[in-house]
Amino acid sequence: MAPQLDSYFKQVDKLSEAFIELPSGLRKAVAIPSISAEPERRPDVVKMGQFLVSELQALGAEVRARPLGPQPGKPELELPPVITARYGSSPDKRTVLVYGHYDVQPAAKEDGWASQPFDLTIDEKGRMFGRGATDDKGPVLGWLNAIQAHREAGVELPVNLLMCFEGMEEYGSEGLEDFIHAECKAGGFYEHVDAVCISDNYWLGTEKPCLTYGLRGCNYYAVTVSGPGQDLHSGVFGGSAQEPMTDLVRVLGSLVDTHGRIQIPGLQEMVAPVTEEEKKLYPSIAYSMDNLYESLGSRTSIFDDKESTLMARWRYPSLSVHGIEGGFSGSGAKTVIPAKVVGKFSIRTVPNMESDRVDQRVFEHVRKVFDGLGSKNTMDVELMHAGPWWVASPQHWNFAAASKAVESVFKVKPDFTREGGSIPITITFEQATGKNVLLLPMGSSTDAAHSINEKLDRSNYIEGIKLLGAYLHYAAEEPMS
């Protein structure tokens, strides 16, 4: 164990109730409905940022709320500020930059919550329910709590800690990418950084911590098929007019088969081969098919074994059809022929798939399939948005430090995992700083982030605070080799 961690851990336990309850614990943070997607809640997002500023100032940090200007497309709305902070500035210490976000997803009791989403509710199992508890207010406060526990334990923080907390992550992180690149240049607030750590993801299961070293990217597309000048009655025009919905369904059906195999030529050839070193990481990962079946609520998996399932989720591309805009989707029966329909689908990309080449192959395939229909309707396919994949080296000293921290707190070696989703800001930090980025989760797979009844287990929160502090100690002393 790194020096002085024992006294730090004891102080975290001593302060555990204060870290949860009022006046400045997680309960206070959850009570602020900082929903970035709802314009009427923008003052609450700003209020949450101000809460962090006051808490950081009380801890003795150098802190600023940095304005980002008007929101693109909504000039009447100011973007929430980025909270930048520094704790320690010794030239003899390494500098670690940590990121989190203080905005949350929309939530309302009538959505199906068992409790009020902005009133932290703790049950007999220590599950703390509330919007933002795990995504991402718990981890953000975890960094502040780690500073406080060090101060009150009389233990010096072993690194210079730089912080970046944003208020628009749940709405695309608008304005942040340019800000990060600017602040990582010469003279910027984040100019001198040795490593980056993000705590905004989750354990693979519920029992064993993990360190995440890879994320899939996402290219999201829309296929529009148009024909008649207006919606038609099927009893009058059915059989006499070529129908956009029929064409669209046939195009969407050509993209992927029942077993998840992408049918677009040339995409699979872009995927980097799996190395023998990488294969060795999968057998020891704490995950079972029963975990998958529980998450699915059924046994409708494509594969029957763990390794193939995890590789399909993390390591290989996937294509998902998400919906059709313009068609009848309500209950009951409506005999309408829609004049225009838009199909939405996305491809989760992996190394070494280049976004431009993926787009080219997608467009070629969709146009070829549509042309083959011989339809008189018109079709257009476009990329709606794209985010790149990201992979770091789990052998980097930053990951070695985090691994030792996990062992010191949980007495077990962590799993090294990838994730099938995307956190675009991860690659932004990597590119802007030129340093290794580590994903160090606090919450577990059952936390229901973005869903109803979001929660963070009390044990994950308190032990997670210990983990964040321990990571800083090991990051301070791990050989940079």
Side-chain angles (χ1 to χ4, degrees), residues 329-408:
S329 60
S331 59
K334 185 178 181 181
T335 57
V336 65
I337 297 173
K340 174 183 175 181
V341 285
V342 184
K344 309 288 182 65
F345 69 95
S346 70
I347 297 174
R348 294 289 176 171
T349 59
V350 298
N352 293 317
M353 299 174 76
E354 298 176 10
S355 184
D356 290 345
R357 293 180 61 207
V358 172
D359 294 344
Q360 179 184 357
R361 294 290 188 175
V362 168
F363 298 158
E364 288 174 353
H365 173 81
V366 170
R367 287 168 182 148
K368 181 178 180 181
V369 171
F370 181 79
D371 290 345
L373 299 179
S375 175
K376 294 179 181 178
N377 292 320
T378 59
M379 186 278 299
D380 181 62
V381 56
E382 64 174 323
L383 174 73
M384 295 184 70
H385 63 76
W389 49 263
W390 164 79
V391 175
S393 169
Q395 281 77 44
H396 191 275
W397 66 264
N398 196 23
F399 279 81
S403 180
K404 291 178 180 178
V406 168
E407 288 190 68
S408 71

Side-chain angles (χ1 to χ4, degrees), residues 15 25 28 64 68 70 77 88 105 118 123 224 227 242 304 321 326 363 378 387 425 440-441 468:
L15 293 170
K28 172 71 172 180
R64 289 180 61 192
L68 293 177
L77 275 180
Q105 283 279 314
F118 297 104
D123 70 6
T224 303
Q242 294 194 328
D304 296 323
V321 177
F363 298 158
T378 59
I425 203 64
L440 182 62
L468 298 181

Side-chain angles (χ1 to χ4, degrees), residues 67-350:
L68 293 177
Q71 183 170 328
K74 297 181 180 179
E76 72 281 3
L77 275 180
E78 287 291 315
L79 290 168
V82 176
I83 309 304
T84 63
R86 177 193 301 274
Y87 190 86
S89 56
S90 171
D92 300 323
K93 294 179 180 179
R94 293 177 185 174
T95 299
V96 175
L97 168 59
V98 301
Y99 161 87
H101 65 91
Y102 59 87
D103 63 319
V104 299
Q105 283 279 314
K109 182 70 161 58
E110 53 267 29
D111 294 337
W113 282 73
S115 57
Q116 292 294 338
F118 297 104
D119 182 5
L120 192 70
T121 303
I122 306 174
D123 70 6
E124 68 281 357
K125 295 181 180 179
R127 296 179 298 183
M128 305 188 296
F129 294 93
R131 176 59 87 219
T134 193
D135 182 23
D136 187 38
K137 292 181 178 180
V140 166
L141 290 186
W143 293 112
L144 277 62
N145 296 338
I147 295 174
Q148 182 180 348
H150 275 87
R151 284 168 56 95
E152 298 196 20
V155 177
E156 183 179 358
L157 204 68
V159 299
N160 302 316
L161 188 62
L162 294 180
M163 288 158 269
C164 177
F165 300 138
E166 69 154 322
M168 284 293 283
E169 193 274 345
E170 303 291 7
Y171 201 72
S173 293
E174 290 187 323
L176 185 65
E177 183 173 352
D178 290 343
F179 177 85
I180 294 301
H181 279 287
E183 292 301 321
C184 288
K185 293 179 180 178
F189 194 75
Y190 303 129
E191 177 186 3
H192 300 294
V193 171
D194 294 301
V196 181
C197 180
I198 297 174
S199 186
D200 187 23
N201 63 313
Y202 311 93
W203 296 0
L204 181 60
T206 60
E207 302 296 328
K208 191 177 181 184
C210 67
L211 306 178
T212 303
Y213 67 94
L215 300 165
R216 292 195 294 186
C218 183
N219 285 30
Y220 199 104
Y221 302 94
V223 181
T224 303
V225 181
S226 305
Q230 61 186 26
D231 289 353
L232 305 175
H233 189 308
S234 67
V236 177
F237 296 100
S240 63
Q242 294 194 328
E243 302 184 13
M245 180 69 81
T246 304
D247 292 346
L248 178 63
V249 168
R250 294 178 71 182
V251 170
L252 294 179
S254 75
L255 300 173
V256 62
D257 70 13
T258 302
H259 304 290
R261 292 184 290 258
I262 298 176
Q263 301 298 293
I264 300 173
L267 292 192
Q268 198 59 44
E269 288 75 12
M270 300 180 192
V271 179
V274 179
T275 65
E276 291 301 317
E277 183 179 24
E278 184 182 347
K279 288 180 182 178
K280 294 176 183 177
L281 295 173
Y282 286 86
S284 63
I285 292 175
Y287 188 78
S288 71
M289 294 306 292
D290 286 337
N291 295 137
L292 177 64
Y293 300 147
E294 181 180 0
S295 298
L296 293 177
S298 69
R299 299 179 70 87
T300 54
S301 61
I302 292 178
F303 302 100
D304 296 323
D305 65 288
K306 177 183 76 173
E307 285 81 1
S308 297
T309 294
L310 292 180
M311 284 192 179
R313 282 174 58 173
W314 304 339
R315 184 57 179 77
Y316 292 114
S318 64
L319 189 152
S320 300
V321 177
H322 302 296
I324 296 176
E325 176 186 334
F328 172 63
S329 60
S331 59
K334 185 178 181 181
T335 57
V336 65
I337 297 173
K340 174 183 175 181
V341 285
V342 184
K344 309 288 182 65
F345 69 95
S346 70
I347 297 174
R348 294 289 176 171
T349 59
V350 298

